[in-house]
Amino acid sequence: MARFSSLHDAVAEHIHDGDTVALEGFTHLIPFAAGQEIIRQRRKDLTLVRMTPDIIYDQLIGMGCARKLIFSWAGNPGAGSLHRFRDAVEHSVPHHLEIEEHSHAGMATRYQAGASGLPFGMLRGYAGTDLATITPTISWVTCPFTGENLAAVPALRPDVGVICAQQADRDGNVMMWGITGVQKEAVLASQRSIVLVEEVVDAFSPHTNGVVLPSWVVDDVCLVPSGSYPSYAQDYSQRASAFYSQWEPISKDCEKFLAWMDEHVLATSDHAEFLASLDPALLEDIND
Amino acid sequence: MARFSSLHDAVAEHIHDGDTVALEGFTHLIPFAAGQEIIRQRRKDLTLVRMTPDIIYDQLIGMGCARKLIFSWAGNPGAGSLHRFRDAVEHSVPHHLEIEEHSHAGMATRYQAGASGLPFGMLRGYAGTDLATITPTISWVTCPFTGENLAAVPALRPDVGVICAQQADRDGNVMMWGITGVQKEAVLASQRSIVLVEEVVDAFSPHTNGVVLPSWVVDDVCLVPSGSYPSYAQDYSQRASAFYSQWEPISKDCEKFLAWMDEHVLATSDHAEFLASLDPALLEDIND
Amino acid sequence: MTESPTREALKWTNDEMMTVAAARELTSGTVCFVGIGLPSTAANLARASHAPDVVLIYESGCIGAKPDRLPPSIGDGILSRTADAVVSVPEIFAYWLQAGRVDVGFLGAAQVDRFGNINTTVVGEYGSPQVRLPGAGGAPEIATSCSRVIITLRHSPRAMVEKLDFVTSVGHGDGGDFRARLGLPGRGPQAMITDLGVLRCEPESREFVLSSVHPGVEIPDVIEATGWALRVADDVSVTAPPTDGELHALRSFVGA
Amino acid sequence: MTESPTREALKWTNDEMMTVAAARELTSGTVCFVGIGLPSTAANLARASHAPDVVLIYESGCIGAKPDRLPPSIGDGILSRTADAVVSVPEIFAYWLQAGRVDVGFLGAAQVDRFGNINTTVVGEYGSPQVRLPGAGGAPEIATSCSRVIITLRHSPRAMVEKLDFVTSVGHGDGGDFRARLGLPGRGPQAMITDLGVLRCEPESREFVLSSVHPGVEIPDVIEATGWALRVADDVSVTAPPTDGELHALRSFVGA
């Protein structure tokens, strides 16, 4: 059964230096608060996994938490580059970052294989690309019935999966809806899991395509309102698009980045203080 | 976009002698009405596919519509045997029935592969069983990363997939909820598809774990109230358990079976007439 | 062996004893994969009595179902409506069963052998069967992937046989480290619960031996009802009879 | 070539022309896989103008989204709320894209070559890049599995290159029957739409050749802005300028 805990305690207990950690959220319900808590607790040598590493991974990488990144698309959607990620790859700042890159379909297949307890998954992909030559975790299998050659990718089995959901009930069951991406698979593929929720409710309301994770597959549930800020949590908060566009100049200048992280993350003790530290204009109009 | 049609017309247009047809429904939303319409139209040489062939497949087999059955569990759950199926396998009555049998996990994997456009799917299964020796559509692949040997099964790609759903909207989008089994995969794996619905509505209400199939992946939508009778349609009708237990003696006696089919299926022109032909006691208490 | 009551004195049937004995294999929090019939009854009895937090998964995709009556089919609305989550059938087999999230799987059998291998496919030759049975269903992968399997069936020499006509689901193969050699992840069948007693899997040989007889049953009766040369454990005991609480819970459920 | 208006006379930008030209590739009922940026704008323009029944699939899992404003991200609630169905990311790639249910995929590119192969990974050496780009995203399998692909990018010799630094997504490889030899199911890139004109894929060679120039653009300008020796189709034309209706729909959308 899931334990209700503070995000501080969940990160302290489950995420250790050197772990492989997937903070998933495909453009919605992104666990920003968890990433920043990892930074506060100064984790090191993490292998970070995510289909769409964005600002929160830029922060983790820029703060030196990551040894390696396994991913399929690293950008600040609609706003620019992840300059801390780029600086790490292009100039080893703050240190060398190992990368292992796939396509979205490949990453999704890897999570599915992990959630399914299979050693690998397969897809029709990668043929003819240079990805197949530079990524050692791309191989091939032959269909025993048709002879077709298909791409094979090994299962992802992170030590810890971290996601945001809208709600938990009092038994620790978790529900998310709207765009749910690969979050179910990320939790089910991981050895341990932490779920941040916007609200704890007595009973869930119906949502078509809503996903419920039973309490017994989740380790810790953390009540963290706006835990996905500046990303979305459908029916709770809108994306703070200004944050995304303002990130570009912060990320671009390493000094500015470190000062920003000092002020807003390291000097704050939790997500509520982080939100309070921001320019109030960045918090306007985010209610959904 | 899906076409709204009568079940008669949908079966006449899409299901031809010799076709491979999957009437899916995993213990809920079973397309009984479609199976009986296939019998009325006297289709022959069908390869019938279903994880859980039950009374409606017993009827199709007993009436000589099937050349082959691809399945994983053939019984009358909680009530007894499918005697027409058994008679076909044990005594070639009314004629020889070819069978290809898998486990549920194998069949589900085959549908998934079909829906995914892959030539095969894999699972950890079948090892050490006699199924692996008598079913030619069970083979093996080796994980290129770990060397583990896994079972491989070819994709199912029926000519026609037939399912029941609770509702369609006026654009022909289809929604089902409750236990949805492998119905989405059956439709997406098939070349053509027919969906029977209980009701046509202006807009869908939310249902957690509800499944929506967009209109453009469905060929024909047929409004057939109680189309899954004597099975369930959650929020529309309960299972007519008496029908299931009464089937045992009917199915057991070939003469009685043929007389029953004559009276209730061949002599009726559609599902409404079929329902009207039944002992009214069999229709009591089925409202959900 | 403790003294056993006479049959006449019993206030319950052998089938009830079998269900109660099966229910006792589950403890609270156990994640249990159940089908209709005895497994569903036993799992719900456990939930209604000593193991309120047992998690029932029905292969129709209902996870954490909490029915207040026995469902006539795994498609019943009482399962989907009371479940914590309802998922598709491909998902239940891939993400839940195959992934190793299930502690206990219950399996029935038309035939079982001394190593817990199961036949639910045919009696006789596969190509020309005397009796065509329903087939595999979920059983082969339940037998593969659950941490442990509990087999329930009524005792008879026709059912508990020296050699299966067909291996639908693998128990311990020909015994010993068969499962390890095949790379099967679960530990396989651990108990065989019948209307006469309980057989348990011997650690090294993996042969099922008589562990307890139900009250009123004599060991020779069990040996006679077994189609292989049944061995009897040194510490064979009498199954504890159903308690009033178990019987009450069972009967209120079955009657519901 | 018909007479083209001078740049000064144009009431629209080259980027608007590019978006309009991309939108025209879609007809009603076309199932279209779109990302944020120009593809989303073009697809929504088509839906708002000549192709009301175009089906938009966003890789975030939104099938049949009908946004009434341009979403800033593919995670926007306007997509999930207006979609006919929302599915998981593994499902959108397996059951929808890979299964061949998508007619048209739009792809952008940092670099593209004459056969429509695409680089979105690095500029420079992979191990020590000059510019690290975002990477593959959904593109490799969009390029593999959509019936046809439309590439949109701004024309420049840096972007339209003789040789890619990295092949992220395969177009027609080294031309000819490359795709058939690799067993790729889709027909691959068919059009390359830039801010200067439209290049189309030549049937046999699979080389992209200039098919039309946008109004106000001269053919030598396009050749100069192309990093490979661009060939010009015999029947090269001038792209039909945006209609008032197209411009109105586009601007009301972008402004929304």
Side-chain angles (χ1 to χ4, degrees):
Chain A
M1 303 289 284
R3 175 183 80 158
F4 283 91
S5 63
S6 70
L7 182 55
H8 172 278
D9 291 354
V11 168
E13 166 138 357
H14 294 297
I15 302 181
H16 316 126
D17 289 354
D19 275 355
T20 297
V21 184
L23 295 91
E24 269 299 344
F26 196 90
T27 73
H28 173 229
L29 289 171
I30 298 167
F32 268 89
Q36 293 186 339
E37 183 57 32
I38 291 170
I39 293 168
R40 273 188 207 102
Q41 296 191 22
R42 293 292 194 177
R43 288 293 173 281
K44 293 263 171 294
D45 292 324
L46 300 178
T47 293
L48 293 177
V49 186
R50 180 141 170 237
M51 295 184 65
T52 51
D54 58 7
I55 292 178
I56 186 59
Y57 273 49
D58 209 34
Q59 295 180 356
L60 284 156
I61 292 164
M63 294 301 284
C65 301
R67 182 183 69 75
K68 180 176 177 179
L69 178 68
I70 301 175
F71 75 108
S72 41
W73 196 88
N76 181 357
S81 289
L82 301 179
H83 293 283
R84 294 303 92 221
F85 158 73
R86 285 185 51 185
D87 231 8
V89 174
E90 295 169 10
H91 309 111
S92 293
V93 174
H95 52 66
H96 173 69
L97 179 73
E98 191 182 338
I99 56 175
E100 176 180 323
E101 62 184 306
H102 279 263
S103 66
H104 280 348
M107 285 291 281
T109 301
R110 297 186 67 183
Y111 274 119
Q112 273 196 304
S116 302
L118 289 174
F120 77 107
M122 64 184 160
L123 66 156
R124 187 177 291 107
Y126 294 121
T129 71
D130 286 341
L131 286 167
T133 64
I134 55 97
T135 298
T137 47
I138 297 172
S139 186
W140 308 93
V141 285
T142 304
C143 171
F145 305 101
T146 64
E148 184 180 352
N149 216 24
L150 294 155
V153 289
L156 280 169
R157 299 188 194 280
D159 295 304
V160 194
V162 185
I163 66 165
C164 283
Q166 280 97 336
Q167 298 178 341
D169 69 14
R170 304 206 184 271
D171 294 329
N173 299 301
V174 161
M175 181 163 179
M176 55 190 158
W177 62 86
I179 292 165
T180 56
V182 74
Q183 282 129 284
K184 176 188 247 182
E185 286 76 13
V187 166
L188 295 182
S190 296
Q191 307 298 310
R192 304 183 291 280
S193 61
I194 302 172
V195 180
L196 285 62
V197 297
E198 292 285 334
E199 191 179 3
V200 177
V201 298
D202 290 327
F204 299 133
S205 301
H207 289 274
T208 300
N209 299 117
V211 171
V212 176
L213 286 170
S215 179
W216 54 275
V217 297
V218 174
D219 288 287
D220 281 35
V221 173
C222 307
L223 177 63
V224 186
S226 297
S228 57
Y229 178 90
S231 162
Y232 310 82
Q234 187 170 321
D235 296 328
Y236 287 85
S237 61
Q238 291 276 0
R239 190 174 191 258
S241 290
F243 189 106
Y244 282 81
S245 46
Q246 290 182 20
W247 185 253
E248 171 74 10
I250 296 168
S251 172
K252 200 160 191 170
D253 179 333
C254 191
E255 296 304 308
K256 199 182 280 185
F257 164 78
L258 291 171
W260 191 95
M261 293 302 294
D262 268 339
E263 179 183 350
H264 295 286
V265 179
L266 297 180
T268 58
S269 67
D270 63 15
H271 193 64
E273 284 192 17
F274 160 73
L275 292 173
S277 80
L278 296 175
D279 179 349
L282 284 171
L283 296 163
E284 275 170 18
D285 303 324
I286 65 161
N287 289 336
D288 193 20
Chain B
M1 303 291 282
R3 174 182 82 158
F4 284 91
S5 63
S6 69
L7 182 56
H8 173 278
D9 291 355
V11 167
E13 165 138 358
H14 294 298
I15 302 181
H16 316 125
D17 288 353
D19 275 355
T20 297
V21 184
L23 294 91
E24 270 299 343
F26 196 90
T27 72
H28 173 229
L29 289 172
I30 299 168
F32 269 88
Q36 294 185 341
E37 183 57 32
I38 291 170
I39 293 168
R40 273 187 206 102
Q41 296 191 23
R42 294 289 194 178
R43 287 295 172 279
K44 292 263 171 296
D45 291 325
L46 300 178
T47 292
L48 293 176
V49 186
R50 180 140 169 238
M51 295 183 65
T52 52
D54 58 7
I55 293 178
I56 186 59
Y57 273 50
D58 207 34
Q59 294 181 357
L60 284 156
I61 292 164
M63 294 301 285
C65 300
R67 184 183 68 76
K68 179 175 178 181
L69 178 67
I70 300 174
F71 75 108
S72 40
W73 196 88
N76 181 358
S81 289
L82 300 179
H83 293 282
R84 295 302 93 223
F85 159 73
R86 284 185 52 184
D87 230 9
V89 174
E90 295 169 9
H91 308 112
S92 293
V93 173
H95 52 65
H96 174 70
L97 179 72
E98 190 183 339
I99 58 174
E100 175 180 324
E101 63 183 304
H102 279 263
S103 66
H104 280 348
M107 286 291 282
T109 302
R110 297 186 67 184
Y111 275 120
Q112 273 197 303
S116 301
L118 289 174
F120 77 107
M122 65 185 159
L123 66 155
R124 185 177 294 107
Y126 295 121
T129 72
D130 285 342
L131 285 167
T133 62
I134 54 96
T135 298
T137 48
I138 297 173
S139 187
W140 308 93
V141 286
T142 304
C143 172
F145 305 101
T146 65
E148 184 179 352
N149 216 25
L150 294 155
V153 287
L156 279 170
R157 299 189 192 282
D159 295 304
V160 193
V162 184
I163 66 166
C164 283
Q166 280 96 337
Q167 298 178 341
D169 70 13
R170 305 209 183 272
D171 293 330
N173 300 301
V174 161
M175 181 162 179
M176 55 190 158
W177 61 86
I179 291 165
T180 56
V182 74
Q183 282 126 288
K184 176 188 247 183
E185 287 77 12
V187 166
L188 295 181
S190 295
Q191 308 298 309
R192 306 183 290 281
S193 61
I194 301 172
V195 181
L196 284 61
V197 297
E198 291 286 333
E199 191 180 4
V200 177
V201 299
D202 291 328
F204 298 132
S205 301
H207 290 274
T208 299
N209 301 117
V211 171
V212 177
L213 286 169
S215 179
W216 55 276
V217 297
V218 174
D219 288 286
D220 281 36
V221 173
C222 307
L223 177 62
V224 186
S226 298
S228 56
Y229 178 91
S231 163
Y232 310 83
Q234 188 171 323
D235 296 328
Y236 285 86
S237 59
Q238 293 276 0
R239 189 174 191 259
S241 290
F243 189 105
Y244 282 82
S245 45
Q246 290 182 20
W247 186 251
E248 172 72 13
I250 296 168
S251 172
K252 200 159 189 171
D253 179 333
C254 192
E255 295 306 308
K256 199 181 280 186
F257 164 79
L258 291 171
W260 192 95
M261 294 301 295
D262 268 338
E263 177 182 352
H264 295 286
V265 179
L266 297 180
T268 59
S269 67
D270 62 15
H271 193 63
E273 284 192 17
F274 161 73
L275 292 174
S277 80
L278 296 175
D279 179 349
L282 285 171
L283 296 163
E284 273 170 20
D285 303 325
I286 65 162
N287 288 338
D288 194 20
Chain C
M1 255 181 89
T2 59
E3 197 179 339
S4 57
T6 60
R7 286 244 167 180
E8 287 68 26
L10 302 179
K11 298 196 193 73
W12 31 267
T13 66
N14 284 2
D15 277 6
E16 284 176 326
M17 181 72 253
M18 174 162 65
T19 303
V20 166
R24 288 177 188 157
E25 298 289 318
L26 304 177
T27 53
S28 219
T30 301
V31 178
C32 181
F33 209 83
V34 286
I36 289 303
L38 189 137
S40 175
T41 311
N44 279 296
L45 171 57
R47 197 171 61 81
S49 53
H50 64 281
D53 288 333
V54 69
V55 177
L56 308 193
I57 299 186
Y58 287 80
E59 67 187 3
S60 49
C62 301
I63 299 171
K66 292 168 276 292
D68 56 9
R69 57 174 170 78
L70 284 182
S73 143
I74 57 171
D76 199 280
I78 195 78
L79 301 179
S80 52
R81 286 192 173 107
T82 62
D84 294 323
V86 182
V87 303
S88 75
V89 162
E91 179 176 328
I92 205 77
F93 283 101
Y95 286 5
W96 300 83
L97 179 62
Q98 181 175 262
R101 277 176 243 284
V102 181
D103 300 316
V104 172
F106 278 108
L107 291 177
Q111 291 181 335
V112 68
D113 68 15
R114 75 182 73 204
F115 294 112
N117 303 296
I118 287 172
N119 173 18
T120 55
T121 302
V122 286
V123 176
E125 285 288 313
Y126 184 77
S128 56
Q130 288 159 41
V131 182
R132 173 65 223 197
L133 302 164
E141 286 75 26
I142 291 172
T144 298
S145 291
C146 290
S147 298
R148 61 191 167 104
V149 168
I150 296 166
I151 298 171
T152 59
L153 80 168
R154 292 203 182 84
H155 229 111
S156 93
R158 272 195 334 157
M160 305 183 66
V161 299
E162 178 68 32
K163 184 168 169 31
L164 301 181
D165 289 351
F166 190 94
V167 181
T168 313
S169 304
V170 169
H172 298 283
D174 52 7
D177 64 350
F178 177 90
R179 291 185 69 90
R181 279 186 280 120
L182 246 69
L184 302 178
R187 286 185 288 125
Q190 299 298 310
M192 210 179 279
I193 295 173
T194 78
D195 52 341
L196 299 185
V198 177
L199 284 62
R200 295 204 184 267
C201 181
E202 203 175 48
E204 290 298 310
S205 70
R206 303 293 202 281
E207 180 176 337
F208 276 86
V209 299
L210 185 62
S211 168
S212 75
V213 291
H214 296 333
V217 177
E218 299 298 330
I219 290 174
D221 300 341
V222 186
I223 290 172
E224 194 171 341
T226 307
W228 72 82
L230 178 67
R231 287 169 48 216
V232 178
D234 295 341
D235 58 348
V236 64
S237 62
V238 174
T239 316
T243 65
D244 287 350
E246 285 168 333
L247 278 180
H248 178 75
L250 174 60
R251 289 171 184 173
S252 63
F253 232 103
V254 172
Chain D
M1 255 179 88
T2 59
E3 194 181 341
S4 60
T6 62
R7 287 246 167 178
E8 287 69 25
L10 303 180
K11 298 195 190 76
W12 31 266
T13 67
N14 283 1
D15 277 6
E16 284 176 327
M17 181 72 250
M18 174 163 64
T19 303
V20 166
R24 288 176 187 157
E25 298 289 319
L26 303 177
T27 52
S28 221
T30 302
V31 178
C32 181
F33 209 82
V34 286
I36 290 302
L38 189 137
S40 175
T41 311
N44 279 295
L45 170 58
R47 197 171 61 81
S49 53
H50 66 279
D53 288 332
V54 68
V55 177
L56 308 193
I57 299 185
Y58 287 79
E59 68 187 1
S60 50
C62 302
I63 300 171
K66 293 168 273 292
D68 56 7
R69 56 176 170 78
L70 283 182
S73 143
I74 57 170
D76 201 279
I78 195 78
L79 300 178
S80 52
R81 285 194 175 105
T82 62
D84 293 323
V86 182
V87 301
S88 75
V89 162
E91 178 176 329
I92 204 77
F93 283 102
Y95 286 5
W96 299 84
L97 179 61
Q98 181 175 263
R101 278 177 243 283
V102 180
D103 300 316
V104 173
F106 277 109
L107 291 177
Q111 292 181 334
V112 67
D113 70 15
R114 76 181 72 203
F115 293 112
N117 303 296
I118 286 173
N119 173 17
T120 56
T121 302
V122 285
V123 177
E125 285 288 313
Y126 183 77
S128 55
Q130 288 159 46
V131 182
R132 174 64 224 198
L133 302 164
E141 287 74 27
I142 292 172
T144 297
S145 292
C146 290
S147 298
R148 61 192 166 105
V149 168
I150 297 165
I151 298 169
T152 59
L153 79 169
R154 292 201 183 85
H155 229 113
S156 92
R158 272 197 331 160
M160 306 184 64
V161 299
E162 178 67 31
K163 185 170 168 30
L164 301 182
D165 289 351
F166 190 94
V167 180
T168 313
S169 304
V170 169
H172 298 283
D174 53 7
D177 63 352
F178 176 89
R179 292 185 67 91
R181 279 186 280 120
L182 246 69
L184 302 178
R187 287 186 288 125
Q190 300 297 310
M192 209 181 281
I193 295 173
T194 79
D195 52 340
L196 299 185
V198 176
L199 285 62
R200 294 203 184 267
C201 180
E202 203 175 48
E204 289 298 310
S205 71
R206 303 293 202 282
E207 180 176 338
F208 277 85
V209 299
L210 186 63
S211 169
S212 76
V213 292
H214 296 333
V217 177
E218 299 298 331
I219 290 173
D221 301 339
V222 187
I223 290 171
E224 194 172 341
T226 305
W228 72 80
L230 178 67
R231 289 169 46 215
V232 178
D234 293 342
D235 57 349
V236 65
S237 62
V238 174
T239 315
T243 65
D244 288 350
E246 286 169 333
L247 278 180
H248 177 76
L250 174 61
R251 287 169 185 173
S252 62
F253 231 104
V254 173

